Amino acid sequence: MPNKLLPPSGPGRPKDLVKRQAILDAAKNLFISNGYDGSSMDAIAAEAGVSKLTVYSHFTDKETLFCAAVKSKCEEQLPELFFELAADAPIENVLLTIGRSFNALINSRESVELHRLMVTQATQNPKLSQLFYEAGPQRLLNEMARLLSRAELTGKLRIDDPHCAADQFFSLVKGGANFCLLIGCGEPLQGAAAEQHVQNAVTMFLRAYRPNQAAR
């Protein structure tokens, strides 16, 4: 529903940050419901309850706003904090946390609709597809590769190519179930089924990259 009334800023919550978040929320809703071409900056401003000038003061154009909306959605589910690796943190627990959050992200309504939107845009606007990839999937791959590099340096894992391993990890979590969901012939994994799926993916990943396994 339109967000006509902005919440009070409150202590430690500057008004401009509240407006920025309102714009991002409005953009995510409209891009998903109306598509990229069908979502004007005027409509996003009206949905957010701000002026168009305010929208442009935060985001210089619609492409910039689209990228920010994609990044915001990813960061909601997978904040950068998840990709930190404390010295005493069991690598399995870290991978499970990331796997659960990534699984929830790719199975969310917003993510599914956004991916379907990008498929329709693939031949019409390849530049937009590239922007989407860089703001979303590429960011997560880079964060995961950095995490795996640290795990390799600290001896928690043995990995020759962290970027390849990061891609393999996310591919394991996505699996066939997410593809079925995207094309409309399956339901999102939830509850115990989702947990078992993530645990299986992490177990398989660790079998490949634990130091003791790699040494065999």
Side-chain angles (χ1 to χ4, degrees):
M1 293 181 64
N3 182 17
K4 301 299 184 184
L5 296 177
L6 291 170
S9 57
R13 182 74 170 170
K15 187 177 180 182
D16 61 333
L17 294 182
V18 176
K19 287 184 178 181
R20 180 183 175 87
Q21 188 58 51
I23 295 167
L24 286 173
D25 291 341
K28 284 182 280 188
N29 290 337
L30 291 183
F31 284 138
I32 289 170
S33 60
N34 299 340
Y36 181 81
D37 293 331
S39 303
S40 68
M41 296 292 262
D42 283 318
I44 292 170
E47 178 82 1
V50 301
S51 68
K52 187 166 73 169
L53 181 61
T54 298
V55 176
Y56 279 107
S57 71
H58 286 277
F59 307 98
T60 54
D61 52 41
K62 190 162 73 167
E63 286 184 353
T64 301
L65 177 53
F66 178 77
C67 292
V70 172
K71 184 178 179 182
S72 174
K73 178 58 185 175
C74 292
E75 288 178 339
E76 286 175 11
Q77 201 70 48
L78 283 159
E80 291 184 5
L81 180 64
F82 281 16
F83 296 94
E84 298 296 328
L85 184 60
D88 59 345
I91 189 62
E92 182 175 4
N93 292 354
V94 175
L95 294 177
L96 283 170
T97 296
I98 295 173
R100 290 171 185 136
S101 296
F102 180 69
N103 187 62
L105 171 65
I106 62 175
N107 285 292
S108 67
R109 181 190 66 84
E110 295 89 346
S111 178
V112 170
E113 293 300 325
L114 194 55
H115 276 80
R116 289 171 178 167
L117 169 64
M118 298 320 302
V119 171
T120 66
Q121 291 284 323
T123 56
Q124 303 172 32
N125 193 344
K127 179 183 178 182
L128 185 67
S129 298
Q130 184 65 34
L131 291 172
F132 165 78
Y133 181 75
E134 292 172 356
Q138 186 67 65
R139 170 192 164 266
L140 294 181
L141 280 170
N142 290 342
E143 292 285 355
M144 190 67 184
R146 281 192 284 270
L147 167 68
L148 296 179
S149 293
R150 290 193 294 272
E152 206 280 336
L153 288 172
T154 57
K156 294 178 184 291
L157 297 174
R158 181 172 294 176
I159 296 176
D160 294 328
D161 187 337
H163 280 88
C164 178
D167 183 69
Q168 291 169 341
F169 178 81
F170 287 130
S171 295
L172 283 171
V173 177
K174 290 186 76 170
N178 184 251
F179 177 75
C180 290
L181 177 62
L182 289 174
I183 64 173
C185 66
E187 296 296 325
L189 291 175
Q190 296 178 334
E195 176 63 19
Q196 189 61 59
H197 171 71
V198 172
Q199 289 191 16
N200 289 344
V202 170
T203 297
M204 183 173 290
F205 186 82
L206 289 176
R207 282 176 184 165
Y209 290 114
R210 275 197 191 279
N212 60 331
Q213 294 291 337
R216 290 181 181 180

